[in-house]
Amino acid sequence: MRKKAAAVVLSILTVASLAACGGTDTKADSSSKAGQTDSSSSAEAQPLASGLSGACTGDNDHLQSVTLNTTGQYLHVEIPNPLMDANESVMYSIMFTDSETGYMTQASFKNIFSTNKYSRFIFDMNTSEQKNYPGTFASDFTTEKFSTNLPDPAIKGGKGTKWTATLTVDGEDVATCPSDGSEATLK
């Protein structure tokens, strides 16, 4: 009887020590994962900083150049000689890619001529969320220039952020800036 009791106790101790070992491995794995989460969250993209600027040159009459700058929490966009005549719509889009994190956001300004409706929005490419902003398509939209301001906290990136601009007319991309397919940089 003593031998059976000793064997049962030994079996219980063996199972308990194996379970404890498994519990220790699980703790090590979860603490390791927690450390990874903490380090990746510190590298998250931040909103655009004030004082950044950039420009590019295009080769289309209606997207000859684009100039950007940030002041406070606003992104100012200026495009000389915009396209005025379209059957349906005109949209300017600017794709931003944070050089440190790769985070991508797109600022877009769209005017639908048939309904006289406009939209200004930021699309977060990482989360697929869109933030719509009230206001007009542009503060200045004449034959001389397209100019607008947009709250920029939803746009992610710091100094060195890469960007490209696209002009879309009636649903078709007709011009990009820079025209050579490269990216401009916010400095």
Side-chain angles (χ1 to χ4, degrees):
M1 184 80 147
R2 279 186 164 185
K3 285 185 178 183
K4 281 186 178 180
V8 169
V9 170
L10 186 58
S11 296
I12 291 173
L13 288 174
T14 303
V15 169
S17 66
L18 288 174
C21 287
T24 304
D25 289 346
T26 303
K27 272 187 176 177
D29 288 347
S30 65
S31 66
S32 171
K33 287 178 185 173
Q36 290 172 351
T37 303
D38 291 343
S39 66
S40 66
S41 64
S42 65
E44 287 181 16
Q46 299 297 313
L48 288 177
S50 184
L52 298 176
S53 64
C56 68
T57 303
D59 62 358
N60 183 292
D61 287 344
H62 302 294
L63 194 62
Q64 295 174 0
S65 66
V66 177
T67 303
L68 306 177
N69 61 61
T70 58
T71 304
Q73 292 189 343
Y74 287 90
L75 170 70
H76 177 76
V77 178
E78 190 163 306
I79 301 169
N81 193 30
L83 178 65
M84 290 294 291
D85 54 340
N87 294 323
E88 298 171 17
S89 64
V90 169
M91 181 169 73
Y92 294 103
S93 298
I94 304 166
M95 179 67 73
F96 296 91
T97 304
D98 183 18
S99 59
E100 290 185 20
T101 65
Y103 207 95
M104 297 173 71
T105 47
Q106 179 180 19
S108 295
F109 314 95
K110 185 174 186 177
N111 192 356
I112 303 171
F113 292 109
S114 61
T115 60
N116 202 26
K117 291 189 177 183
Y118 50 82
S119 60
R120 300 177 332 139
F121 58 91
I122 306 256
F123 187 79
D124 186 317
M125 305 299 278
N126 297 36
T127 64
S128 298
E129 292 180 21
Q130 180 171 310
K131 289 188 177 194
N132 297 307
Y133 294 92
T136 60
F137 170 66
S139 54
D140 188 2
F141 188 53
T142 63
T143 55
E144 289 81 35
K145 72 177 175 176
F146 167 89
S147 176
T148 193
N149 290 314
L150 183 68
D152 67 11
I155 301 170
K156 306 298 183 194
K159 189 175 182 180
T161 292
K162 303 293 183 187
W163 61 276
T164 59
T166 303
L167 169 61
T168 304
V169 179
D170 296 335
E172 292 186 38
D173 293 351
V174 297
T176 59
C177 188
S179 60
D180 65 2
S182 64
E183 296 177 306
T185 305
L186 288 176
K187 299 177 182 179

